[in-house]
Every structure is written in structure tokens, then in C-alpha cells.
Amino acid sequence: MGKNTVQAKQWIEKCYPDSCPSKETICRWFAEFERGRTDTNDAERSGRPVEAVTPENKLLLGCKCRTECRSNRCSCKKNNANCADLCACDKIVCLNKADEVLIA
């Protein structure tokens, strides 16, 4: 493009007047591309996932059943897990609860 940060900001403001990034952001972009970056996509990084609810931790939230947890509508049963204390189902009528082991 052959532009400097001031020219780039003016061009972006002209094309996108309601959503133009700050001068600092444009300067950071220029620095990234000078270091060899070739695209504008976010780079992979470690840390907290974008989604708070993932398939792995969905079971920790418990099912939201209002019935007997008889079918695969129950998220616990669907994932081959027993209903637990965090589940919203009625523990008296739930058919997917763990068998209680009585210690004598």
C-alpha cells in the first residue's frame, strides 16, 4: 500500500467513519506487519477458551429436565452420566440417578 500510519488512518476514517480504530491500534498493526505478519486473523493463543460452556464441561452444569430423565432429552443420560446434585430434575422421580450404595 505504501502508506504511513497517518495516511492509513485518514483512509480508514474516510471508508469507515463510524468504526475507525484509534491511531494507537493502527500503529500496532503497522508494527505487526513490519515484523512479518501476513494476515489479519487472530493468532492461536493459550488461555481461557472463547466459550465458557464447552462439551467437556457441559455435564458439570447438570441437566435441566423437569421430568423423569427417561430419554436422551436428558443431557446427563445422553452423555452416559448419572444425574447429580446440580441437576434441576426432581430427584424423587428421576430414573437416571446413581444407585445408592448402603454401607452397613
Side-chain angles (χ1 to χ4, degrees):
M1 209 185 218
K3 298 189 181 298
N4 60 33
T5 56
V6 174
Q7 292 170 327
K9 179 153 177 61
Q10 291 170 348
W11 181 79
I12 294 172
E13 282 176 336
K14 182 179 176 184
C15 294
Y16 305 99
D18 297 330
S19 60
C20 182
S22 67
K23 182 180 179 213
E24 292 78 18
T25 298
I26 293 172
C27 287
R28 190 178 70 245
W29 289 347
F30 264 74
E32 289 284 330
F33 283 109
E34 284 179 358
R35 283 194 291 265
R37 188 165 180 169
T38 58
D39 64 20
T40 57
N41 296 324
D42 288 337
E44 286 290 324
R45 55 189 167 140
S46 62
R48 184 177 177 187
V50 176
E51 294 182 37
V53 178
T54 62
E56 293 80 28
N57 68 11
K58 192 170 185 175
L59 286 176
L60 297 175
L61 301 174
C63 71
K64 307 294 183 241
C65 297
R66 298 288 179 221
T67 59
E68 302 171 330
C69 303
R70 180 188 311 248
S71 70
N72 278 343
R73 288 184 185 175
C74 172
S75 59
C76 294
K77 185 169 180 68
K78 184 177 184 177
N79 290 295
N80 297 317
N82 292 319
C83 291
D85 292 336
L86 292 176
C87 294
C89 59
D90 184 345
K91 303 302 180 280
I92 295 171
V93 297
C94 177
L95 299 174
N96 189 41
K97 58 188 173 193
D99 294 331
E100 296 178 335
V101 177
L102 299 175
I103 300 174

